[in-house]
Amino acid sequence: MSEDRLEQCVLDLHRIGVVKFGSFTLKSGMQSPVYFDLRTIVSHPKILETVAELLWAARPDTRHDLVCGVAYTGLPIATVMSLKQNLPMLIRRKETKSYGTKKLVEGEYREGQRCLVVEDVIVSGGSVYETVETLVQLGLEVKDAVVFLDRQHGGAANLTALGINVVSVLDMTKLMSILVKHDRITPETDALVREFVATHNTTTIATKTSDKPASDQKHLTFESRLAAAAAQPVAHALLALMASKKTNLCVAADVTTSRELLSLADQVGPHICLLKTHVDILEDFTPDTVDKLKTLAEKHNFLLFEDRKFGDIGSTVARQYGGGLYATAEWAHLVTAHGLPGDGVIKGLMSAAGGRLRGCILVAQMSSEGALTSQGYAEGCIRMAASHRSFVAGFVSQSRVTSDPGFILMTPGVQINKTGDDLGQQASYVSPRAAVLERGADVIIVGRGVTKAEDPAAAAQTYKEEAYAAYTERITQT
Ligand code: S5P
């Protein structure tokens, strides 16, 4: 590979805005002073062609029968390689289609064929690994990956440890040297990025086959997650409460009168960590109702969780949360919010929370049939939460959307012996055990399973015992 060609390519990439300086949150939640956004090259065919050629030149000198790009930026690059080298290509989807063939990998292949994986940037190497893992499961041999930029956060070492040989065209140090040499950045910026690279040189990737990292939320006790949740007072209090009261049950008190709500709270109170309300369902809401709820919450030691699902721009949300008939910020320790509007929704809630110890739970995935909460949407919610750790306590989800021990995962759509409703709650509810062990729930949310039971207190006790036993089983799994 000619050095001049690489330098020119870096300068072109800088010119079209691929290299950005500022403050960025990476997919992993890491805050970075530099961001390398290679997606833009699809608008610059000549630069795309050069990037693909540099990658091809860097690849190990072994025969490859196929090439597969890691979605998304790896795809156009792999396409260019495929065309130039007359090498067939595969496409690995980010998620399986729910219609048609449901294939995760598109394109023709035979068992034993060798595939080269192409990626634009590696941080931990997790995305490369996911692609390799899928291809290997199909019977392909995948030993080599080529990467345009290695950010030097330990991704190459992680992949090498998993038997994947990674070659990169460029690393962050080299990228900075070229930009300094051509006066594209100041020595101060260069020093800042070098310092960042030097202090962030290790990452881990979770794999299905290797041991889970010790910090994985799934295997940790609620008590041992307290430090990770230290930035969010309600998450911290909830983890401590769940551990001491031995309950991870949240009852969804979806009843229509204050009398029913208060009676239910008093009955199930001894068994729950959270009482989830929809106060706008009440026909007779008054501030007196919440005063009495607060008394019951103290009597039985549970927290109040208003499931308002805020989803508007920050300034509207601030007024809905802080004021109006329900004045939710006054009394609810936690509220739900949708990630849809962007992080303005969190900022709006934070501004209305004032100095009170409050938090929010982002709805990352919904339990209803046809929900539009795709994998990408859930990932967006996690990123948003990672930049607002002082206010986001966790997520409503249907799967283990994160393994971060500082966030609490709550799963609704839980019932024992029951299948769906006719209004779109998923075709079948899951059991408390499946919610905790298979879907990764820390907290199960149960509505009608308790509220429609003949004896709600007894039902709550059953749900509590089943969910807590599943949690105990989970933390002892290796
Ligand atoms: O995805 C979701 C998110 C929530 S918060 N699906 C849900 O069902 N919920 C809430 O959980 C819903 O608003 C209701 O209060 C509760 C489930 O009630 P159930 O009667 O179906 O158990």
Side-chain angles (χ1 to χ4, degrees), residues 16-288:
I16 64 169
V18 165
V19 198
K20 297 174 169 47
F21 298 97
S23 177
F24 305 91
T25 307
L26 305 184
K27 193 172 162 190
S28 60
M30 190 192 288
Q31 286 292 326
S32 166
V34 59
Y35 191 68
F36 193 81
D37 183 6
L38 208 61
R39 279 168 290 211
T40 324
I41 52 166
V42 293
S43 306
H44 302 270
K46 278 286 157 208
I47 303 179
L48 169 61
E49 186 181 29
T50 307
V51 164
E53 284 175 3
L54 290 171
L55 273 160
W56 182 257
R59 84 191 188 291
D61 195 17
T62 34
R63 176 182 60 83
H64 294 107
D65 308 302
L66 297 159
V67 62
C68 177
V70 177
Y72 288 100
T73 316
L75 297 181
I77 303 174
T79 309
V80 175
M81 288 183 178
S82 167
L83 287 171
K84 291 205 157 245
Q85 309 301 329
N86 191 23
L87 186 65
M89 174 169 119
L90 295 175
I91 295 177
R92 178 194 180 266
R93 293 180 178 282
K94 279 206 144 188
E95 56 205 70
T96 329
K97 293 186 292 180
S98 57
Y99 56 91
T101 55
K102 298 195 176 169
K103 278 203 277 182
L104 194 55
V105 171
E106 305 288 349
E108 294 172 13
Y109 55 85
R110 287 189 313 280
E111 232 176 83
Q113 280 189 311
R114 293 183 183 188
C115 185
L116 174 70
V117 167
V118 181
E119 172 69 303
D120 59 341
V121 179
I122 55 165
V123 180
S124 69
S127 302
V128 167
Y129 181 72
E130 272 173 34
T131 300
V132 172
E133 199 177 36
T134 308
L135 298 172
V136 168
Q137 276 162 9
L138 296 176
L140 291 160
E141 191 181 297
V142 193
K143 295 262 179 270
D144 302 313
V146 279
V147 174
F148 191 73
L149 176 77
D150 177 357
R151 289 194 46 129
Q152 293 172 276
H153 299 308
N158 290 339
L159 290 169
T160 307
L162 293 164
I164 303 158
N165 166 36
V166 196
V167 186
S168 55
V169 170
L170 196 63
D171 62 20
M172 197 56 101
T173 310
K174 183 150 190 182
L175 173 72
M176 290 299 118
S177 318
I178 297 174
L179 293 177
V180 173
K181 180 175 160 193
H182 293 272
D183 289 331
R184 299 296 173 97
I185 56 168
T186 60
E188 289 76 25
T189 304
D190 180 38
L192 186 74
V193 172
R194 281 173 194 270
E195 157 80 12
F196 169 72
V197 168
T199 51
H200 293 76
N201 56 5
T202 53
T203 44
T204 49
I205 48 177
T207 65
K208 290 194 187 117
T209 43
S210 70
D211 290 339
K212 293 277 178 292
S215 61
D216 191 329
Q217 149 263 23
K218 190 176 169 184
H219 300 293
L220 295 176
T221 61
F222 295 140
E223 295 97 316
S224 62
R225 290 165 58 184
L226 289 170
Q232 214 307 297
V234 186
H236 192 271
L238 181 57
L239 287 167
L241 193 162
M242 290 196 286
S244 63
K245 198 173 168 186
K246 297 202 180 328
T247 173
N248 52 343
L249 171 65
C250 166
V251 164
D254 299 338
V255 291
T256 51
T257 64
S258 298
R259 193 178 54 77
E260 284 173 282
L261 174 63
L262 297 170
S263 156
L264 180 69
D266 205 13
Q267 290 176 71
V268 301
H271 304 296
I272 59 175
C273 58
L274 285 169
L275 185 78
K276 189 172 81 60
T277 51
H278 281 295
V279 285
D280 53 359
I281 297 180
L282 294 175
E283 293 157 1
D284 57 354
F285 176 87
T286 65
D288 183 52

Side-chain angles (χ1 to χ4, degrees), residues 212-414:
K212 293 277 178 292
S215 61
D216 191 329
Q217 149 263 23
K218 190 176 169 184
H219 300 293
L220 295 176
T221 61
F222 295 140
E223 295 97 316
S224 62
R225 290 165 58 184
L226 289 170
Q232 214 307 297
V234 186
H236 192 271
L238 181 57
L239 287 167
L241 193 162
M242 290 196 286
S244 63
K245 198 173 168 186
K246 297 202 180 328
T247 173
N248 52 343
L249 171 65
C250 166
V251 164
D254 299 338
V255 291
T256 51
T257 64
S258 298
R259 193 178 54 77
E260 284 173 282
L261 174 63
L262 297 170
S263 156
L264 180 69
D266 205 13
Q267 290 176 71
V268 301
H271 304 296
I272 59 175
C273 58
L274 285 169
L275 185 78
K276 189 172 81 60
T277 51
H278 281 295
V279 285
D280 53 359
I281 297 180
L282 294 175
E283 293 157 1
D284 57 354
F285 176 87
T286 65
D288 183 52
T289 308
V290 282
D291 284 344
K292 292 191 169 126
L293 259 192
K294 282 201 248 178
T295 308
L296 287 170
E298 273 170 36
K299 172 179 166 193
H300 295 297
N301 188 25
F302 60 79
L303 300 178
L304 296 173
F305 179 18
E306 167 58 20
D307 190 7
R308 172 64 178 75
K309 297 192 180 68
F310 291 97
D312 215 316
I313 58 166
S315 72
T316 304
V317 159
R319 292 163 69 188
Q320 291 173 316
Y321 178 48
L325 178 59
Y326 305 114
T328 315
E330 282 294 330
W331 56 273
H333 302 102
L334 289 174
V335 291
T336 42
H338 286 300
L340 182 71
D343 71 353
V345 68
I346 303 174
K347 290 179 182 156
L349 292 172
M350 284 167 79
S351 72
R356 290 173 286 227
L357 298 183
R358 299 288 178 251
C360 82
I361 298 289
L362 287 181
V363 182
Q365 288 172 328
M366 286 207 68
S367 62
S368 42
E369 218 168 355
L372 301 180
T373 47
S374 63
Q375 191 186 335
Y377 180 84
E379 286 169 6
C381 289
I382 313 300
R383 281 197 292 278
M384 217 190 280
S387 352
H388 295 283
R389 283 183 176 272
S390 66
F391 201 72
V392 182
F395 305 96
V396 166
S397 61
Q398 289 295 313
S399 63
R400 274 183 84 234
V401 289
T402 175
S403 57
D404 188 320
F407 292 124
I408 300 174
L409 299 183
M410 307 190 180
T411 299
V414 179

